[in-house]
Amino acid sequence: MKRKVLSIILAAALTGTMLAGCGSSAKQETPAVASDTGAPVSEQPAESSATQTGTSGKQTDGKNVPELTSEPLTITLWDISTEDPGKTTMEEAVQRFMADYPNITINQVHQQNDNYKQQLVVAMSSKQAPDMYIHWGGGPMAEYYKSGFVNDMTEMFNTYDHPDFIDAAVAQSTYDGKVLAIPFGGLSGCDIFYNKTIFAEVGVEVPETIDDLEAVCDKLIEAGYVPFALANGSKWTGSMYYMYLVARHSGNEEFDAAYTQEGSFTSDAFIWAGNKIQDWVKKGYFPDGVNSLSTDDGQDKALLYDNTCAMMLHGSWQVSGIRADNQEWYDENIGVFRFPEDSEAAAKGVPQDVEIGTAIGNGFSFNCWNADGSVDQTKLDACYVLATQYFNDDAYNQRRLDNGTIPSIKGFENTIDDANMKVVADIFFNASNVQLWYDQYLPASVTEVHKNCMTELFGLQKTPEEIGQEQDAAMKASLAE
């Protein structure tokens, strides 16, 4: 593969492209279901014909992995783990690798999440992209590949050991039949956390339909509670409501059409979702000043803790955060349920088991090239081993479980002991489709427009039709480039 030079317009916008499922049959490591600590305890033995690492004492010994260089080598890695527990988890994986391969130095750079995609595009435009970097899959991953900053790992994935990833994770790491990323972040589902004590006090049950949800919200307001803790200063938090309402009203059909612009962000499901949100804002389902509250500062959780709000739609990573803040309060009060169904859409045959979240959390892609545009196989081999054997090893996966994230590896759903995470896992593993967060799936330029539209929507500044037109214009511009 000859590397193409990324045009300057990529710094302004990335074009979106739909992901395709992976049709290859990989040679996979099969983790045992669990040891008594909850971590996998064994992996598939290497085939005798494979190239093996030969030095004793490495945790890759006996694995079917590439033999890595004994010469000095430096790899630059970008991630977005600037705070614990993620920062320590990422650094420990790198330290385990460098302990086994002391001749290889990993220059690990922690980037801030908010501007990460833009920073990555700028680095690519200036030919300073890292050798190994994280992303969320979706349209941007496809564009990184088409612009020459992703190595095709299909052959390696089919040849060497790697964890037995769930099918959805492989699909989210694949484009045009090519494996372009190694999953490592784990499953993150989006569901509604609720205060069981408040629900019992008010006398309401977990809702199964959106009509039921609205009835619960009305009763909560009558009892003096704000239904939802939402801090939309970050914008993507409000997007979760928008995404779920669109998905419940149309499955993935209308979003897929809007993404390619064969349809529109002003189609029925988007207008219905926007109108529903603005109706909820007017009814008081969200806190006052919702667009000025920050989820990064925990202001949404604080509204749960002081019993101002009874529910919070959020990612499953909130489990570890709430438990860490107050395990006793969490155990006594917090439950979780899936976003309710649209009964009218269901009656028309619209699938109601499309969920919002990610099957990979993050993926690692590799940017390993020689000056002449050929693949730097020495560096690529090291990146592959680091991503598959250290960011997905027993220690890393146990850390993920401890922090409330389910590794996207078959068998790990059976290791969960938290009741709420069991609910999330059951919802996730039974979904017909998992729609990646819009702000991660959409091209970078469209993402910014989409997030700004969420401010306008929840602030009642623009109508659903107007924000749909804004998103259409951004998508058309991105596709044109």
Side-chain angles (χ1 to χ4, degrees):
M1 171 181 176
K2 190 170 182 179
R3 186 181 186 187
K4 297 178 288 182
V5 177
L6 185 67
S7 65
I8 192 66
I9 60 173
L10 183 56
L14 293 174
T15 306
T17 309
M18 301 302 292
L19 285 174
C22 177
S24 62
S25 56
K27 296 181 180 179
Q28 298 179 327
E29 299 173 1
T30 305
V33 171
S35 67
D36 56 5
T37 63
V41 293
S42 65
E43 294 171 327
Q44 180 178 324
E47 296 183 7
S48 58
S49 59
T51 302
Q52 304 295 321
T53 54
T55 305
S56 62
K58 296 182 177 67
Q59 70 178 50
T60 50
D61 286 350
K63 302 288 187 65
N64 175 16
V65 296
E67 183 175 3
L68 303 191
T69 182
S70 59
E71 297 297 320
L73 177 68
T74 298
I75 293 170
T76 298
L77 180 158
W78 280 16
D79 62 45
I80 55 168
S81 298
T82 57
E83 298 181 359
D84 280 331
K87 185 173 182 286
T88 296
T89 302
M90 298 290 286
E91 290 176 352
E92 287 177 345
V94 167
Q95 292 301 320
R96 288 193 298 274
F97 175 84
M98 290 196 296
D100 282 352
Y101 299 96
N103 61 299
I104 302 177
T105 300
I106 307 299
N107 177 24
Q108 186 172 18
V109 181
H110 303 299
Q111 301 280 9
Q112 289 292 331
N113 177 54
D114 287 346
N115 299 314
Y116 176 75
K117 281 200 285 188
Q118 289 85 347
Q119 288 177 316
L120 188 58
V121 170
V122 170
M124 290 175 176
S125 299
S126 60
K127 301 180 184 179
Q128 299 296 319
D131 305 307
M132 179 174 176
Y133 57 91
I134 72 108
H135 55 69
W136 297 268
M141 179 187 73
E143 285 312 306
Y144 304 153
Y145 169 71
K146 291 192 293 181
S147 299
F149 292 91
V150 177
N151 296 104
D152 178 357
M153 288 180 285
T154 309
E155 184 176 351
M156 296 183 76
F157 199 78
N158 291 339
T159 301
Y160 297 117
D161 282 353
H162 55 75
D164 190 10
F165 298 114
I166 63 172
D167 294 342
V170 177
Q172 284 194 354
S173 304
T174 302
Y175 166 73
D176 194 26
K178 300 177 179 65
V179 179
L180 302 182
I182 300 297
F184 75 94
L187 313 176
S188 293
C190 182
D191 295 291
I192 297 178
F193 296 91
Y194 73 105
N195 189 313
K196 297 179 290 186
T197 304
I198 292 176
F199 268 46
E201 174 197 322
V202 177
V204 293
E205 302 291 335
V206 168
E208 295 185 1
T209 69
I210 292 173
D211 289 341
D212 294 340
L213 177 64
E214 291 178 322
V216 167
C217 289
D218 292 341
K219 289 183 179 180
L220 288 167
I221 289 174
E222 289 175 9
Y225 296 102
V226 176
F228 286 106
L230 171 61
N232 198 39
S234 301
K235 304 176 184 180
W236 56 267
T237 43
S239 177
M240 292 188 284
Y241 292 86
Y242 188 67
M243 287 186 287
Y244 253 129
L245 288 167
V246 170
R248 291 291 180 260
H249 201 64
S250 66
N252 263 67
E253 183 176 343
E254 291 190 34
F255 173 71
D256 289 345
Y259 189 88
T260 61
Q261 283 295 287
E262 294 174 2
S264 170
F265 286 100
T266 62
S267 65
D268 176 64
F270 290 102
I271 301 303
W272 181 84
N275 283 331
K276 185 69 72 176
I277 286 171
Q278 294 198 325
D279 183 48
W280 290 358
V281 171
K282 294 171 185 176
K283 287 182 175 180
Y285 287 9
F286 304 106
D288 291 338
V290 65
N291 281 341
S292 64
L293 300 175
S294 170
T295 192
D296 292 338
D297 295 333
Q299 291 178 316
D300 40 12
K301 287 193 298 182
L303 293 170
L304 280 182
Y305 295 164
D306 68 8
N307 291 331
T308 296
C309 298
M311 295 180 287
M312 181 175 70
L313 176 66
H314 224 296
S316 55
W317 58 82
Q318 289 291 346
V319 167
S320 62
I322 298 173
R323 281 193 317 208
D325 289 340
N326 192 323
Q327 176 83 48
E328 183 179 354
W329 185 89
Y330 169 83
D331 291 339
E332 182 178 345
N333 293 286
I334 294 298
V336 66
F337 60 90
R338 69 188 294 263
F339 198 93
E341 299 184 356
D342 179 355
S343 55
E344 291 185 9
K348 298 175 184 177
V350 175
Q352 296 296 300
D353 58 349
V354 174
E355 305 300 336
I356 303 299
T358 176
I360 63 172
N362 292 119
F364 271 124
S365 283
F366 310 138
N367 174 48
C368 302
W369 310 95
N370 295 311
D372 62 0
S374 62
V375 174
D376 185 340
Q377 194 64 48
T378 298
K379 186 173 287 187
L380 182 60
D381 286 346
C383 289
Y384 181 88
V385 170
L386 173 57
T388 61
Q389 304 301 322
Y390 292 83
F391 278 99
N392 281 288
D393 64 1
D394 292 359
Y396 181 87
N397 287 325
Q398 186 60 51
R399 277 272 198 176
R400 301 304 300 183
L401 286 167
D402 292 343
N403 294 332
T405 302
I406 307 166
S408 50
I409 299 170
K410 294 175 183 177
F412 271 97
E413 71 274 19
N414 300 317
T415 70
I416 304 166
D417 57 9
D418 180 275
N420 289 326
M421 289 303 294
K422 284 181 182 293
V423 173
V424 172
D426 183 63
I427 293 169
F428 201 98
F429 278 92
N430 285 287
S432 65
N433 193 3
V434 178
Q435 172 58 54
L436 184 63
W437 324 96
Y438 286 3
D439 65 299
Q440 295 174 359
Y441 192 90
L442 292 167
S445 59
V446 184
T447 290
E448 293 310 305
V449 172
H450 167 72
K451 291 196 297 184
N452 289 335
C453 284
M454 293 303 99
T455 298
E456 296 165 345
L457 185 67
F458 281 84
L460 305 180
Q461 298 162 354
K462 291 188 177 179
T463 67
E465 290 85 356
E466 288 171 329
I467 69 162
Q469 291 165 2
E470 286 186 52
Q471 293 174 100
D472 279 340
M475 199 72 227
K476 282 183 171 67
S478 182
L479 288 170
E481 290 179 346

